[in-house]
mmCIF file with all atom_site columns, all heavy atoms in Angstrom:
data_model
loop_
_atom_site.group_PDB
_atom_site.id
_atom_site.type_symbol
_atom_site.label_atom_id
_atom_site.label_alt_id
_atom_site.label_comp_id
_atom_site.label_asym_id
_atom_site.label_entity_id
_atom_site.label_seq_id
_atom_site.pdbx_PDB_ins_code
_atom_site.Cartn_x
_atom_site.Cartn_y
_atom_site.Cartn_z
_atom_site.occupancy
_atom_site.B_iso_or_equiv
_atom_site.pdbx_formal_charge
_atom_site.auth_seq_id
_atom_site.auth_comp_id
_atom_site.auth_asym_id
_atom_site.auth_atom_id
_atom_site.pdbx_PDB_model_num
ATOM 1   N N   . ALA K 1 1  ? 109.995 68.223 -31.227 1.00 92.00 ? 1  ALA K N   1
ATOM 2   C CA  . ALA K 1 1  ? 110.126 67.797 -32.641 1.00 92.00 ? 1  ALA K CA  1
ATOM 3   C C   . ALA K 1 1  ? 108.795 67.880 -33.299 1.00 92.00 ? 1  ALA K C   1
ATOM 4   O O   . ALA K 1 1  ? 108.650 68.298 -34.490 1.00 92.00 ? 1  ALA K O   1
ATOM 5   C CB  . ALA K 1 1  ? 110.669 66.406 -32.789 1.00 92.00 ? 1  ALA K CB  1
ATOM 6   N N   . PHE K 1 2  ? 107.739 67.496 -32.600 1.00 90.00 ? 2  PHE K N   1
ATOM 7   C CA  . PHE K 1 2  ? 106.337 67.576 -33.142 1.00 90.00 ? 2  PHE K CA  1
ATOM 8   C C   . PHE K 1 2  ? 105.987 69.033 -33.423 1.00 90.00 ? 2  PHE K C   1
ATOM 9   O O   . PHE K 1 2  ? 105.380 69.389 -34.402 1.00 90.00 ? 2  PHE K O   1
ATOM 10  C CB  . PHE K 1 2  ? 105.353 66.950 -32.154 1.00 90.00 ? 2  PHE K CB  1
ATOM 11  C CG  . PHE K 1 2  ? 103.967 66.934 -32.671 1.00 90.00 ? 2  PHE K CG  1
ATOM 12  C CD1 . PHE K 1 2  ? 103.571 66.079 -33.740 1.00 90.00 ? 2  PHE K CD1 1
ATOM 13  C CD2 . PHE K 1 2  ? 102.997 67.781 -32.144 1.00 90.00 ? 2  PHE K CD2 1
ATOM 14  C CE1 . PHE K 1 2  ? 102.267 66.032 -34.157 1.00 90.00 ? 2  PHE K CE1 1
ATOM 15  C CE2 . PHE K 1 2  ? 101.736 67.774 -32.604 1.00 90.00 ? 2  PHE K CE2 1
ATOM 16  C CZ  . PHE K 1 2  ? 101.329 66.911 -33.592 1.00 90.00 ? 2  PHE K CZ  1
ATOM 17  N N   . LEU K 1 3  ? 106.458 69.941 -32.442 1.00 91.00 ? 3  LEU K N   1
ATOM 18  C CA  . LEU K 1 3  ? 106.154 71.330 -32.701 1.00 91.00 ? 3  LEU K CA  1
ATOM 19  C C   . LEU K 1 3  ? 106.861 71.831 -33.940 1.00 91.00 ? 3  LEU K C   1
ATOM 20  O O   . LEU K 1 3  ? 106.265 72.645 -34.741 1.00 91.00 ? 3  LEU K O   1
ATOM 21  C CB  . LEU K 1 3  ? 106.659 72.186 -31.479 1.00 91.00 ? 3  LEU K CB  1
ATOM 22  C CG  . LEU K 1 3  ? 105.672 72.434 -30.378 1.00 91.00 ? 3  LEU K CG  1
ATOM 23  C CD1 . LEU K 1 3  ? 106.373 73.189 -29.222 1.00 91.00 ? 3  LEU K CD1 1
ATOM 24  C CD2 . LEU K 1 3  ? 104.510 73.248 -30.923 1.00 91.00 ? 3  LEU K CD2 1
ATOM 25  N N   . VAL K 1 4  ? 108.083 71.488 -34.189 1.00 89.00 ? 4  VAL K N   1
ATOM 26  C CA  . VAL K 1 4  ? 108.819 71.867 -35.383 1.00 89.00 ? 4  VAL K CA  1
ATOM 27  C C   . VAL K 1 4  ? 108.075 71.373 -36.601 1.00 89.00 ? 4  VAL K C   1
ATOM 28  O O   . VAL K 1 4  ? 107.889 72.143 -37.564 1.00 89.00 ? 4  VAL K O   1
ATOM 29  C CB  . VAL K 1 4  ? 110.312 71.356 -35.370 1.00 89.00 ? 4  VAL K CB  1
ATOM 30  C CG1 . VAL K 1 4  ? 110.963 71.590 -36.683 1.00 89.00 ? 4  VAL K CG1 1
ATOM 31  C CG2 . VAL K 1 4  ? 111.084 71.954 -34.227 1.00 89.00 ? 4  VAL K CG2 1
ATOM 32  N N   . TRP K 1 5  ? 107.653 70.151 -36.571 1.00 86.00 ? 5  TRP K N   1
ATOM 33  C CA  . TRP K 1 5  ? 107.036 69.519 -37.732 1.00 86.00 ? 5  TRP K CA  1
ATOM 34  C C   . TRP K 1 5  ? 105.699 70.230 -38.044 1.00 86.00 ? 5  TRP K C   1
ATOM 35  O O   . TRP K 1 5  ? 105.344 70.551 -39.187 1.00 86.00 ? 5  TRP K O   1
ATOM 36  C CB  . TRP K 1 5  ? 106.800 68.090 -37.411 1.00 86.00 ? 5  TRP K CB  1
ATOM 37  C CG  . TRP K 1 5  ? 106.158 67.202 -38.459 1.00 86.00 ? 5  TRP K CG  1
ATOM 38  C CD1 . TRP K 1 5  ? 106.101 67.558 -39.841 1.00 86.00 ? 5  TRP K CD1 1
ATOM 39  C CD2 . TRP K 1 5  ? 105.486 65.984 -38.316 1.00 86.00 ? 5  TRP K CD2 1
ATOM 40  N NE1 . TRP K 1 5  ? 105.413 66.520 -40.511 1.00 86.00 ? 5  TRP K NE1 1
ATOM 41  C CE2 . TRP K 1 5  ? 105.056 65.560 -39.623 1.00 86.00 ? 5  TRP K CE2 1
ATOM 42  C CE3 . TRP K 1 5  ? 105.241 65.202 -37.244 1.00 86.00 ? 5  TRP K CE3 1
ATOM 43  C CZ2 . TRP K 1 5  ? 104.366 64.392 -39.841 1.00 86.00 ? 5  TRP K CZ2 1
ATOM 44  C CZ3 . TRP K 1 5  ? 104.569 63.981 -37.451 1.00 86.00 ? 5  TRP K CZ3 1
ATOM 45  C CH2 . TRP K 1 5  ? 104.175 63.582 -38.774 1.00 86.00 ? 5  TRP K CH2 1
ATOM 46  N N   . ARG K 1 6  ? 104.901 70.480 -36.998 1.00 86.00 ? 6  ARG K N   1
ATOM 47  C CA  . ARG K 1 6  ? 103.482 71.052 -37.224 1.00 86.00 ? 6  ARG K CA  1
ATOM 48  C C   . ARG K 1 6  ? 103.531 72.531 -37.447 1.00 86.00 ? 6  ARG K C   1
ATOM 49  O O   . ARG K 1 6  ? 102.591 73.082 -38.055 1.00 86.00 ? 6  ARG K O   1
ATOM 50  C CB  . ARG K 1 6  ? 102.612 70.686 -35.969 1.00 86.00 ? 6  ARG K CB  1
ATOM 51  C CG  . ARG K 1 6  ? 102.420 69.213 -35.808 1.00 86.00 ? 6  ARG K CG  1
ATOM 52  C CD  . ARG K 1 6  ? 101.835 68.530 -37.061 1.00 86.00 ? 6  ARG K CD  1
ATOM 53  N NE  . ARG K 1 6  ? 100.590 69.055 -37.380 1.00 86.00 ? 6  ARG K NE  1
ATOM 54  C CZ  . ARG K 1 6  ? 99.928  68.978 -38.551 1.00 86.00 ? 6  ARG K CZ  1
ATOM 55  N NH1 . ARG K 1 6  ? 100.548 68.387 -39.588 1.00 86.00 ? 6  ARG K NH1 1
ATOM 56  N NH2 . ARG K 1 6  ? 98.763  69.534 -38.706 1.00 86.00 ? 6  ARG K NH2 1
ATOM 57  N N   . THR K 1 7  ? 104.502 73.263 -36.831 1.00 87.00 ? 7  THR K N   1
ATOM 58  C CA  . THR K 1 7  ? 104.501 74.697 -37.009 1.00 87.00 ? 7  THR K CA  1
ATOM 59  C C   . THR K 1 7  ? 105.330 75.135 -38.222 1.00 87.00 ? 7  THR K C   1
ATOM 60  O O   . THR K 1 7  ? 105.264 76.325 -38.681 1.00 87.00 ? 7  THR K O   1
ATOM 61  C CB  . THR K 1 7  ? 104.987 75.475 -35.756 1.00 87.00 ? 7  THR K CB  1
ATOM 62  O OG1 . THR K 1 7  ? 106.345 75.139 -35.539 1.00 87.00 ? 7  THR K OG1 1
ATOM 63  C CG2 . THR K 1 7  ? 104.141 75.129 -34.567 1.00 87.00 ? 7  THR K CG2 1
ATOM 64  N N   . GLY K 1 8  ? 106.189 74.289 -38.728 1.00 84.00 ? 8  GLY K N   1
ATOM 65  C CA  . GLY K 1 8  ? 107.003 74.603 -39.872 1.00 84.00 ? 8  GLY K CA  1
ATOM 66  C C   . GLY K 1 8  ? 108.268 75.405 -39.481 1.00 84.00 ? 8  GLY K C   1
ATOM 67  O O   . GLY K 1 8  ? 108.905 75.946 -40.421 1.00 84.00 ? 8  GLY K O   1
ATOM 68  N N   . GLY K 1 9  ? 108.616 75.505 -38.226 1.00 86.00 ? 9  GLY K N   1
ATOM 69  C CA  . GLY K 1 9  ? 109.782 76.286 -37.827 1.00 86.00 ? 9  GLY K CA  1
ATOM 70  C C   . GLY K 1 9  ? 110.248 75.881 -36.486 1.00 86.00 ? 9  GLY K C   1
ATOM 71  O O   . GLY K 1 9  ? 109.616 75.139 -35.750 1.00 86.00 ? 9  GLY K O   1
ATOM 72  N N   . LEU K 1 10 ? 111.477 76.319 -36.136 1.00 89.00 ? 10 LEU K N   1
ATOM 73  C CA  . LEU K 1 10 ? 112.116 75.997 -34.878 1.00 89.00 ? 10 LEU K CA  1
ATOM 74  C C   . LEU K 1 10 ? 111.653 76.851 -33.701 1.00 89.00 ? 10 LEU K C   1
ATOM 75  O O   . LEU K 1 10 ? 111.893 76.517 -32.542 1.00 89.00 ? 10 LEU K O   1
ATOM 76  C CB  . LEU K 1 10 ? 113.606 76.145 -35.022 1.00 89.00 ? 10 LEU K CB  1
ATOM 77  C CG  . LEU K 1 10 ? 114.365 75.199 -35.950 1.00 89.00 ? 10 LEU K CG  1
ATOM 78  C CD1 . LEU K 1 10 ? 115.804 75.599 -36.135 1.00 89.00 ? 10 LEU K CD1 1
ATOM 79  C CD2 . LEU K 1 10 ? 114.210 73.760 -35.514 1.00 89.00 ? 10 LEU K CD2 1
ATOM 80  N N   . GLU K 1 11 ? 111.048 78.016 -34.018 1.00 90.00 ? 11 GLU K N   1
ATOM 81  C CA  . GLU K 1 11 ? 110.793 78.982 -32.979 1.00 90.00 ? 11 GLU K CA  1
ATOM 82  C C   . GLU K 1 11 ? 109.998 78.467 -31.814 1.00 90.00 ? 11 GLU K C   1
ATOM 83  O O   . GLU K 1 11 ? 110.387 78.693 -30.621 1.00 90.00 ? 11 GLU K O   1
ATOM 84  C CB  . GLU K 1 11 ? 110.052 80.212 -33.593 1.00 90.00 ? 11 GLU K CB  1
ATOM 85  C CG  . GLU K 1 11 ? 110.788 80.869 -34.686 1.00 90.00 ? 11 GLU K CG  1
ATOM 86  C CD  . GLU K 1 11 ? 110.581 80.194 -36.096 1.00 90.00 ? 11 GLU K CD  1
ATOM 87  O OE1 . GLU K 1 11 ? 109.953 79.229 -36.222 1.00 90.00 ? 11 GLU K OE1 1
ATOM 88  O OE2 . GLU K 1 11 ? 111.246 80.810 -37.053 1.00 90.00 ? 11 GLU K OE2 1
ATOM 89  N N   . ALA K 1 12 ? 108.884 77.762 -32.023 1.00 89.00 ? 12 ALA K N   1
ATOM 90  C CA  . ALA K 1 12 ? 108.069 77.281 -30.901 1.00 89.00 ? 12 ALA K CA  1
ATOM 91  C C   . ALA K 1 12 ? 108.773 76.246 -30.058 1.00 89.00 ? 12 ALA K C   1
ATOM 92  O O   . ALA K 1 12 ? 108.680 76.279 -28.808 1.00 89.00 ? 12 ALA K O   1
ATOM 93  C CB  . ALA K 1 12 ? 106.728 76.756 -31.449 1.00 89.00 ? 12 ALA K CB  1
ATOM 94  N N   . ALA K 1 13 ? 109.508 75.364 -30.729 1.00 92.00 ? 13 ALA K N   1
ATOM 95  C CA  . ALA K 1 13 ? 110.274 74.331 -29.976 1.00 92.00 ? 13 ALA K CA  1
ATOM 96  C C   . ALA K 1 13 ? 111.357 74.997 -29.143 1.00 92.00 ? 13 ALA K C   1
ATOM 97  O O   . ALA K 1 13 ? 111.612 74.610 -27.974 1.00 92.00 ? 13 ALA K O   1
ATOM 98  C CB  . ALA K 1 13 ? 110.877 73.311 -30.924 1.00 92.00 ? 13 ALA K CB  1
ATOM 99  N N   . ILE K 1 14 ? 112.062 75.973 -29.751 1.00 93.00 ? 14 ILE K N   1
ATOM 100 C CA  . ILE K 1 14 ? 113.119 76.621 -28.941 1.00 93.00 ? 14 ILE K CA  1
ATOM 101 C C   . ILE K 1 14 ? 112.484 77.401 -27.775 1.00 93.00 ? 14 ILE K C   1
ATOM 102 O O   . ILE K 1 14 ? 113.040 77.344 -26.635 1.00 93.00 ? 14 ILE K O   1
ATOM 103 C CB  . ILE K 1 14 ? 113.906 77.614 -29.899 1.00 93.00 ? 14 ILE K CB  1
ATOM 104 C CG1 . ILE K 1 14 ? 114.720 76.795 -30.886 1.00 93.00 ? 14 ILE K CG1 1
ATOM 105 C CG2 . ILE K 1 14 ? 114.810 78.568 -29.070 1.00 93.00 ? 14 ILE K CG2 1
ATOM 106 C CD1 . ILE K 1 14 ? 115.360 77.644 -31.981 1.00 93.00 ? 14 ILE K CD1 1
ATOM 107 N N   . ALA K 1 15 ? 111.379 78.065 -28.038 1.00 91.00 ? 15 ALA K N   1
ATOM 108 C CA  . ALA K 1 15 ? 110.746 78.837 -26.950 1.00 91.00 ? 15 ALA K CA  1
ATOM 109 C C   . ALA K 1 15 ? 110.281 77.892 -25.825 1.00 91.00 ? 15 ALA K C   1
ATOM 110 O O   . ALA K 1 15 ? 110.468 78.199 -24.653 1.00 91.00 ? 15 ALA K O   1
ATOM 111 C CB  . ALA K 1 15 ? 109.521 79.589 -27.466 1.00 91.00 ? 15 ALA K CB  1
ATOM 112 N N   . SER K 1 16 ? 109.753 76.729 -26.147 1.00 90.00 ? 16 SER K N   1
ATOM 113 C CA  . SER K 1 16 ? 109.302 75.819 -25.165 1.00 90.00 ? 16 SER K CA  1
ATOM 114 C C   . SER K 1 16 ? 110.508 75.263 -24.360 1.00 90.00 ? 16 SER K C   1
ATOM 115 O O   . SER K 1 16 ? 110.414 75.098 -23.176 1.00 90.00 ? 16 SER K O   1
ATOM 116 C CB  . SER K 1 16 ? 108.477 74.634 -25.770 1.00 90.00 ? 16 SER K CB  1
ATOM 117 O OG  . SER K 1 16 ? 109.201 73.886 -26.674 1.00 90.00 ? 16 SER K OG  1
ATOM 118 N N   . HIS K 1 17 ? 111.578 75.018 -25.007 1.00 90.00 ? 17 HIS K N   1
ATOM 119 C CA  . HIS K 1 17 ? 112.808 74.514 -24.314 1.00 90.00 ? 17 HIS K CA  1
ATOM 120 C C   . HIS K 1 17 ? 113.298 75.651 -23.349 1.00 90.00 ? 17 HIS K C   1
ATOM 121 O O   . HIS K 1 17 ? 113.759 75.291 -22.224 1.00 90.00 ? 17 HIS K O   1
ATOM 122 C CB  . HIS K 1 17 ? 113.824 74.077 -25.308 1.00 90.00 ? 17 HIS K CB  1
ATOM 123 C CG  . HIS K 1 17 ? 114.965 73.343 -24.737 1.00 90.00 ? 17 HIS K CG  1
ATOM 124 N ND1 . HIS K 1 17 ? 116.128 73.932 -24.247 1.00 90.00 ? 17 HIS K ND1 1
ATOM 125 C CD2 . HIS K 1 17 ? 115.223 71.967 -24.543 1.00 90.00 ? 17 HIS K CD2 1
ATOM 126 C CE1 . HIS K 1 17 ? 116.939 72.951 -23.767 1.00 90.00 ? 17 HIS K CE1 1
ATOM 127 N NE2 . HIS K 1 17 ? 116.383 71.812 -23.943 1.00 90.00 ? 17 HIS K NE2 1
ATOM 128 N N   . VAL K 1 18 ? 113.334 76.801 -23.790 1.00 93.00 ? 18 VAL K N   1
ATOM 129 C CA  . VAL K 1 18 ? 113.859 77.886 -23.008 1.00 93.00 ? 18 VAL K CA  1
ATOM 130 C C   . VAL K 1 18 ? 112.938 78.109 -21.804 1.00 93.00 ? 18 VAL K C   1
ATOM 131 O O   . VAL K 1 18 ? 113.468 78.264 -20.680 1.00 93.00 ? 18 VAL K O   1
ATOM 132 C CB  . VAL K 1 18 ? 113.904 79.236 -23.826 1.00 93.00 ? 18 VAL K CB  1
ATOM 133 C CG1 . VAL K 1 18 ? 114.138 80.433 -22.965 1.00 93.00 ? 18 VAL K CG1 1
ATOM 134 C CG2 . VAL K 1 18 ? 115.041 79.144 -24.820 1.00 93.00 ? 18 VAL K CG2 1
ATOM 135 N N   . ILE K 1 19 ? 111.620 78.122 -21.988 1.00 89.00 ? 19 ILE K N   1
ATOM 136 C CA  . ILE K 1 19 ? 110.724 78.295 -20.876 1.00 89.00 ? 19 ILE K CA  1
ATOM 137 C C   . ILE K 1 19 ? 110.848 77.166 -19.914 1.00 89.00 ? 19 ILE K C   1
ATOM 138 O O   . ILE K 1 19 ? 110.923 77.407 -18.679 1.00 89.00 ? 19 ILE K O   1
ATOM 139 C CB  . ILE K 1 19 ? 109.290 78.385 -21.369 1.00 89.00 ? 19 ILE K CB  1
ATOM 140 C CG1 . ILE K 1 19 ? 109.050 79.726 -22.128 1.00 89.00 ? 19 ILE K CG1 1
ATOM 141 C CG2 . ILE K 1 19 ? 108.247 78.236 -20.270 1.00 89.00 ? 19 ILE K CG2 1
ATOM 142 C CD1 . ILE K 1 19 ? 107.804 79.868 -22.912 1.00 89.00 ? 19 ILE K CD1 1
ATOM 143 N N   . ASN K 1 20 ? 110.965 75.912 -20.385 1.00 86.00 ? 20 ASN K N   1
ATOM 144 C CA  . ASN K 1 20 ? 111.169 74.765 -19.491 1.00 86.00 ? 20 ASN K CA  1
ATOM 145 C C   . ASN K 1 20 ? 112.455 74.941 -18.633 1.00 86.00 ? 20 ASN K C   1
ATOM 146 O O   . ASN K 1 20 ? 112.443 74.766 -17.447 1.00 86.00 ? 20 ASN K O   1
ATOM 147 C CB  . ASN K 1 20 ? 111.246 73.495 -20.328 1.00 86.00 ? 20 ASN K CB  1
ATOM 148 C CG  . ASN K 1 20 ? 111.401 72.281 -19.456 1.00 86.00 ? 20 ASN K CG  1
ATOM 149 O OD1 . ASN K 1 20 ? 110.432 71.895 -18.773 1.00 86.00 ? 20 ASN K OD1 1
ATOM 150 N ND2 . ASN K 1 20 ? 112.535 71.644 -19.494 1.00 86.00 ? 20 ASN K ND2 1
ATOM 151 N N   . ASN K 1 21 ? 113.563 75.323 -19.284 1.00 88.00 ? 21 ASN K N   1
ATOM 152 C CA  . ASN K 1 21 ? 114.832 75.492 -18.597 1.00 88.00 ? 21 ASN K CA  1
ATOM 153 C C   . ASN K 1 21 ? 114.721 76.668 -17.607 1.00 88.00 ? 21 ASN K C   1
ATOM 154 O O   . ASN K 1 21 ? 115.381 76.557 -16.502 1.00 88.00 ? 21 ASN K O   1
ATOM 155 C CB  . ASN K 1 21 ? 115.948 75.648 -19.544 1.00 88.00 ? 21 ASN K CB  1
ATOM 156 C CG  . ASN K 1 21 ? 116.316 74.352 -20.251 1.00 88.00 ? 21 ASN K CG  1
ATOM 157 O OD1 . ASN K 1 21 ? 115.747 73.276 -20.012 1.00 88.00 ? 21 ASN K OD1 1
ATOM 158 N ND2 . ASN K 1 21 ? 117.318 74.376 -21.164 1.00 88.00 ? 21 ASN K ND2 1
ATOM 159 N N   . VAL K 1 22 ? 114.139 77.727 -17.963 1.00 90.00 ? 22 VAL K N   1
ATOM 160 C CA  . VAL K 1 22 ? 114.000 78.856 -17.043 1.00 90.00 ? 22 VAL K CA  1
ATOM 161 C C   . VAL K 1 22 ? 113.247 78.446 -15.749 1.00 90.00 ? 22 VAL K C   1
ATOM 162 O O   . VAL K 1 22 ? 113.715 78.748 -14.686 1.00 90.00 ? 22 VAL K O   1
ATOM 163 C CB  . VAL K 1 22 ? 113.318 80.101 -17.739 1.00 90.00 ? 22 VAL K CB  1
ATOM 164 C CG1 . VAL K 1 22 ? 112.879 81.117 -16.662 1.00 90.00 ? 22 VAL K CG1 1
ATOM 165 C CG2 . VAL K 1 22 ? 114.247 80.701 -18.744 1.00 90.00 ? 22 VAL K CG2 1
ATOM 166 N N   . PHE K 1 23 ? 112.169 77.763 -15.935 1.00 87.00 ? 23 PHE K N   1
ATOM 167 C CA  . PHE K 1 23 ? 111.451 77.204 -14.745 1.00 87.00 ? 23 PHE K CA  1
ATOM 168 C C   . PHE K 1 23 ? 112.332 76.337 -13.951 1.00 87.00 ? 23 PHE K C   1
ATOM 169 O O   . PHE K 1 23 ? 112.341 76.476 -12.719 1.00 87.00 ? 23 PHE K O   1
ATOM 170 C CB  . PHE K 1 23 ? 110.186 76.520 -15.187 1.00 87.00 ? 23 PHE K CB  1
ATOM 171 C CG  . PHE K 1 23 ? 108.968 77.437 -15.411 1.00 87.00 ? 23 PHE K CG  1
ATOM 172 C CD1 . PHE K 1 23 ? 108.453 77.496 -16.722 1.00 87.00 ? 23 PHE K CD1 1
ATOM 173 C CD2 . PHE K 1 23 ? 108.453 78.188 -14.398 1.00 87.00 ? 23 PHE K CD2 1
ATOM 174 C CE1 . PHE K 1 23 ? 107.355 78.327 -16.944 1.00 87.00 ? 23 PHE K CE1 1
ATOM 175 C CE2 . PHE K 1 23 ? 107.366 79.035 -14.644 1.00 87.00 ? 23 PHE K CE2 1
ATOM 176 C CZ  . PHE K 1 23 ? 106.809 79.099 -15.926 1.00 87.00 ? 23 PHE K CZ  1
ATOM 177 N N   . VAL K 1 24 ? 113.015 75.420 -14.554 1.00 84.00 ? 24 VAL K N   1
ATOM 178 C CA  . VAL K 1 24 ? 113.856 74.478 -13.831 1.00 84.00 ? 24 VAL K CA  1
ATOM 179 C C   . VAL K 1 24 ? 114.934 75.216 -13.035 1.00 84.00 ? 24 VAL K C   1
ATOM 180 O O   . VAL K 1 24 ? 115.204 75.039 -11.851 1.00 84.00 ? 24 VAL K O   1
ATOM 181 C CB  . VAL K 1 24 ? 114.454 73.433 -14.722 1.00 84.00 ? 24 VAL K CB  1
ATOM 182 C CG1 . VAL K 1 24 ? 115.571 72.596 -14.079 1.00 84.00 ? 24 VAL K CG1 1
ATOM 183 C CG2 . VAL K 1 24 ? 113.391 72.542 -15.283 1.00 84.00 ? 24 VAL K CG2 1
ATOM 184 N N   . TYR K 1 25 ? 115.612 76.172 -13.667 1.00 87.00 ? 25 TYR K N   1
ATOM 185 C CA  . TYR K 1 25 ? 116.682 76.945 -13.076 1.00 87.00 ? 25 TYR K CA  1
ATOM 186 C C   . TYR K 1 25 ? 116.163 77.870 -11.897 1.00 87.00 ? 25 TYR K C   1
ATOM 187 O O   . TYR K 1 25 ? 116.808 78.003 -10.904 1.00 87.00 ? 25 TYR K O   1
ATOM 188 C CB  . TYR K 1 25 ? 117.436 77.760 -14.081 1.00 87.00 ? 25 TYR K CB  1
ATOM 189 C CG  . TYR K 1 25 ? 118.525 77.008 -14.816 1.00 87.00 ? 25 TYR K CG  1
ATOM 190 C CD1 . TYR K 1 25 ? 118.245 76.341 -15.971 1.00 87.00 ? 25 TYR K CD1 1
ATOM 191 C CD2 . TYR K 1 25 ? 119.780 76.885 -14.289 1.00 87.00 ? 25 TYR K CD2 1
ATOM 192 C CE1 . TYR K 1 25 ? 119.178 75.618 -16.659 1.00 87.00 ? 25 TYR K CE1 1
ATOM 193 C CE2 . TYR K 1 25 ? 120.809 76.144 -14.926 1.00 87.00 ? 25 TYR K CE2 1
ATOM 194 C CZ  . TYR K 1 25 ? 120.500 75.472 -16.110 1.00 87.00 ? 25 TYR K CZ  1
ATOM 195 O OH  . TYR K 1 25 ? 121.383 74.741 -16.782 1.00 87.00 ? 25 TYR K OH  1
ATOM 196 N N   . VAL K 1 26 ? 114.952 78.443 -12.115 1.00 90.00 ? 26 VAL K N   1
ATOM 197 C CA  . VAL K 1 26 ? 114.393 79.305 -11.032 1.00 90.00 ? 26 VAL K CA  1
ATOM 198 C C   . VAL K 1 26 ? 114.060 78.445 -9.859  1.00 90.00 ? 26 VAL K C   1
ATOM 199 O O   . VAL K 1 26 ? 114.350 78.826 -8.709  1.00 90.00 ? 26 VAL K O   1
ATOM 200 C CB  . VAL K 1 26 ? 113.159 80.060 -11.554 1.00 90.00 ? 26 VAL K CB  1
ATOM 201 C CG1 . VAL K 1 26 ? 112.383 80.684 -10.432 1.00 90.00 ? 26 VAL K CG1 1
ATOM 202 C CG2 . VAL K 1 26 ? 113.579 81.154 -12.547 1.00 90.00 ? 26 VAL K CG2 1
ATOM 203 N N   . ILE K 1 27 ? 113.417 77.272 -10.082 1.00 86.00 ? 27 ILE K N   1
ATOM 204 C CA  . ILE K 1 27 ? 113.024 76.401 -8.971  1.00 86.00 ? 27 ILE K CA  1
ATOM 205 C C   . ILE K 1 27 ? 114.335 75.938 -8.251  1.00 86.00 ? 27 ILE K C   1
ATOM 206 O O   . ILE K 1 27 ? 114.381 75.914 -7.039  1.00 86.00 ? 27 ILE K O   1
ATOM 207 C CB  . ILE K 1 27 ? 112.173 75.216 -9.490  1.00 86.00 ? 27 ILE K CB  1
ATOM 208 C CG1 . ILE K 1 27 ? 110.810 75.771 -9.847  1.00 86.00 ? 27 ILE K CG1 1
ATOM 209 C CG2 . ILE K 1 27 ? 112.057 74.195 -8.429  1.00 86.00 ? 27 ILE K CG2 1
ATOM 210 C CD1 . ILE K 1 27 ? 109.942 74.783 -10.633 1.00 86.00 ? 27 ILE K CD1 1
ATOM 211 N N   . ALA K 1 28 ? 115.335 75.547 -9.053  1.00 85.00 ? 28 ALA K N   1
ATOM 212 C CA  . ALA K 1 28 ? 116.632 75.101 -8.417  1.00 85.00 ? 28 ALA K CA  1
ATOM 213 C C   . ALA K 1 28 ? 117.241 76.172 -7.649  1.00 85.00 ? 28 ALA K C   1
ATOM 214 O O   . ALA K 1 28 ? 117.789 75.910 -6.518  1.00 85.00 ? 28 ALA K O   1
ATOM 215 C CB  . ALA K 1 28 ? 117.541 74.604 -9.515  1.00 85.00 ? 28 ALA K CB  1
ATOM 216 N N   . SER K 1 29 ? 117.245 77.398 -8.043  1.00 87.00 ? 29 SER K N   1
ATOM 217 C CA  . SER K 1 29 ? 117.895 78.501 -7.345  1.00 87.00 ? 29 SER K CA  1
ATOM 218 C C   . SER K 1 29 ? 117.115 78.836 -6.095  1.00 87.00 ? 29 SER K C   1
ATOM 219 O O   . SER K 1 29 ? 117.736 79.362 -5.119  1.00 87.00 ? 29 SER K O   1
ATOM 220 C CB  . SER K 1 29 ? 118.070 79.722 -8.223  1.00 87.00 ? 29 SER K CB  1
ATOM 221 O OG  . SER K 1 29 ? 116.797 80.227 -8.615  1.00 87.00 ? 29 SER K OG  1
ATOM 222 N N   . LEU K 1 30 ? 115.828 78.567 -6.036  1.00 89.00 ? 30 LEU K N   1
ATOM 223 C CA  . LEU K 1 30 ? 115.054 78.892 -4.892  1.00 89.00 ? 30 LEU K CA  1
ATOM 224 C C   . LEU K 1 30 ? 115.007 77.734 -3.907  1.00 89.00 ? 30 LEU K C   1
ATOM 225 O O   . LEU K 1 30 ? 114.730 77.979 -2.682  1.00 89.00 ? 30 LEU K O   1
ATOM 226 C CB  . LEU K 1 30 ? 113.628 79.230 -5.228  1.00 89.00 ? 30 LEU K CB  1
ATOM 227 C CG  . LEU K 1 30 ? 113.414 80.521 -6.130  1.00 89.00 ? 30 LEU K CG  1
ATOM 228 C CD1 . LEU K 1 30 ? 111.999 80.645 -6.561  1.00 89.00 ? 30 LEU K CD1 1
ATOM 229 C CD2 . LEU K 1 30 ? 113.890 81.708 -5.332  1.00 89.00 ? 30 LEU K CD2 1
ATOM 230 N N   . THR K 1 31 ? 115.280 76.496 -4.299  1.00 87.00 ? 31 THR K N   1
ATOM 231 C CA  . THR K 1 31 ? 115.163 75.376 -3.405  1.00 87.00 ? 31 THR K CA  1
ATOM 232 C C   . THR K 1 31 ? 116.528 74.703 -3.021  1.00 87.00 ? 31 THR K C   1
ATOM 233 O O   . THR K 1 31 ? 116.769 74.555 -1.871  1.00 87.00 ? 31 THR K O   1
ATOM 234 C CB  . THR K 1 31 ? 114.253 74.298 -4.004  1.00 87.00 ? 31 THR K CB  1
ATOM 235 O OG1 . THR K 1 31 ? 114.773 73.904 -5.293  1.00 87.00 ? 31 THR K OG1 1
ATOM 236 C CG2 . THR K 1 31 ? 112.809 74.813 -4.153  1.00 87.00 ? 31 THR K CG2 1
ATOM 237 N N   . THR K 1 32 ? 117.274 74.345 -4.036  1.00 80.00 ? 32 THR K N   1
ATOM 238 C CA  . THR K 1 32 ? 118.542 73.679 -3.698  1.00 80.00 ? 32 THR K CA  1
ATOM 239 C C   . THR K 1 32 ? 119.682 74.587 -4.247  1.00 80.00 ? 32 THR K C   1
ATOM 240 O O   . THR K 1 32 ? 120.023 75.544 -3.673  1.00 80.00 ? 32 THR K O   1
ATOM 241 C CB  . THR K 1 32 ? 118.621 72.291 -4.311  1.00 80.00 ? 32 THR K CB  1
ATOM 242 O OG1 . THR K 1 32 ? 118.389 72.343 -5.694  1.00 80.00 ? 32 THR K OG1 1
ATOM 243 C CG2 . THR K 1 32 ? 117.541 71.371 -3.673  1.00 80.00 ? 32 THR K CG2 1
#
């Protein structure tokens, strides 16, 4: 939300959420 507020758009917040989820899913697929 802070990213949305400071950058004036949703793009950075969406990108950060996507990157976070990609890392989580990759780690999950490699470990459990």
Side-chain angles (χ1 to χ4, degrees):
F2 183 73
L3 269 176
V4 171
W5 182 21
R6 298 304 298 159
T7 63
L10 296 171
E11 299 84 0
I14 291 170
S16 62
H17 192 271
V18 167
I19 290 168
N20 184 69
N21 286 0
V22 166
F23 276 117
V24 169
Y25 278 90
V26 167
I27 291 168
S29 66
L30 295 174
T31 57
T32 57

